[in-house]
Amino acid sequence: MSDLITITDAAKRFVKGRETISIFDKLNLTIEAGDFIAIMGPSGSGKTTLLNLLGGIDRPTDGAISFDGARVDKLTESQLSAWRAANIGFIFQFYNLMPMLNAARNVELPLLLTGLSAKERARRVQAALKIVGLDQRASHLPREMSGGQQQRVAIARAIVADPKMLLCDEPTGDLDRKTADEILGMLQLLNREMGKTIIMVTHDAEAARYANRVLHLDKGRFVEQGAMA
Ligand SMILES: Nc1ncnc2c1ncn2[C@@H]1O[C@H](COP(=O)(O)OP(=O)(O)OP(=O)(O)O)[C@@H](O)[C@H]1O
Ligand SMILES: [Mg+2]
């Protein structure tokens, strides 16, 4: 497999008043295209911060982040949003759906930034909803769906623009075991059948078993917990 992402000697510090909080210093990580990585670690260890760096929501204080050979940390804000829209899908613990929009409208959101016609957008939305098994629910509002269904809508939204990489922050943190396993099975399918590279933060060792690699983030460093698949 080829390298999709390399993080080289990345540092992240937050300045709060007179205090500087250092989250990482000289963090290194290589992610191969097609990998499925679980990231575990104590609360406050910097897992969400790392996903934000990987997804171009935030920038490293020092060091480099490359995606497909190009320096993401060097992009301007507008280049970064375009890059993010084309390459990254985000999935969150609490789904982050727009409550007033039905499933189809929620899934369509990332496509509104593209130049696609309404007809083509509708076609892609329907295809994404079909992949997650919710094509019959297109006109339902989030509050009319279960947590698991809402997360499937969020997955459809994350894949609708056909990004290379999915970043998932505790995607099953709010779901029961059975529903969590359905969602995790779906992520595994997207990884294996559609070649999506997946980085998933989780506190759940059962969830981490769906990944090929588990990394443990502790005190700003990675400790590999052993390969699975
Ligand atoms: N914008 C910010 N400004 C200041 N400090 C921040 C900011 N974002 C995160 N931090 C700090 O960085 C540290 C890591 O936060 P982060 O959210 O990445 O942890 P986490 O590993 O995702 O934790 P959890 O498992 O609870 O979600 C925390 O100490 C947090 O307070
Ligand atoms: Mg977090």
Side-chain angles (χ1 to χ4, degrees):
M1 286 194 284
S2 59
D3 293 349
L4 182 63
I5 291 222
T6 47
I7 300 183
T8 312
D9 287 340
K12 184 65 194 176
R13 294 183 286 276
F14 291 109
V15 179
K16 276 246 157 184
R18 282 178 302 159
E19 208 186 340
T20 298
I21 311 165
S22 174
I23 313 298
F24 331 111
D25 184 35
K26 302 222 178 288
L27 190 77
N28 288 284
L29 178 65
T30 301
I31 297 167
E32 292 180 335
D35 213 345
F36 185 170
I37 297 180
I39 296 177
M40 304 189 76
S43 186
S45 58
K47 304 181 297 298
T48 296
T49 304
L50 176 66
L51 288 190
N52 289 344
L53 295 182
L54 287 169
I57 287 181
D58 199 359
R59 294 167 195 270
T61 314
D62 269 319
I65 300 185
S66 302
F67 184 93
D68 258 351
R71 286 284 295 272
V72 176
D73 56 297
K74 296 281 194 199
L75 299 179
T76 64
E77 281 307 314
S78 63
Q79 289 171 329
L80 197 58
S81 346
W83 170 82
R84 202 188 299 128
N87 292 290
I88 311 291
F90 291 96
I91 298 167
F92 306 94
Q93 178 172 3
F94 299 110
Y95 330 125
N96 292 20
L97 300 176
M98 303 288 280
M100 332 70 74
L101 299 183
N102 68 26
R105 292 288 178 210
N106 266 287
V107 174
E108 188 186 18
L109 287 173
L111 298 181
L112 296 178
L113 302 165
T114 68
L116 295 172
S117 68
K119 194 174 163 202
E120 178 60 17
R121 292 200 306 267
R123 194 189 66 73
R124 294 196 187 193
V125 165
Q126 188 63 15
L129 282 171
K130 197 165 170 59
I131 289 169
V132 300
L134 286 179
D135 43 327
Q136 303 302 316
R137 297 276 185 154
S139 61
H140 287 227
L141 292 170
R143 66 162 181 273
E144 297 166 342
M145 290 182 279
S146 68
Q149 287 167 337
Q150 289 183 60
Q151 192 61 303
R152 279 149 64 186
V153 173
I155 292 173
R157 181 183 56 188
I159 61 173
V160 75
D162 199 22
K164 291 201 174 102
M165 185 159 78
L166 300 180
L167 300 176
C168 317
D169 202 348
E170 292 274 356
T172 58
D174 199 44
L175 302 173
D176 63 44
R177 179 80 267 150
K178 180 170 169 290
T179 311
D181 282 325
E182 283 166 20
I183 294 296
L184 291 160
M186 194 163 280
L187 292 177
Q188 199 166 52
L189 199 81
L190 293 173
N191 173 248
R192 291 184 179 172
E193 308 289 326
M194 296 179 70
K196 301 296 178 202
T197 304
I198 300 185
I199 321 291
M200 173 178 74
V201 166
T202 183
H203 281 110
D204 175 13
E206 289 291 317
R209 293 170 59 133
Y210 285 80
N212 307 326
R213 264 169 92 191
V214 182
L215 300 172
H216 201 89
L217 190 60
D218 201 10
K219 300 189 182 74
R221 285 179 198 285
F222 282 120
V223 188
E224 186 130 10
Q225 300 281 292
M228 305 269 177

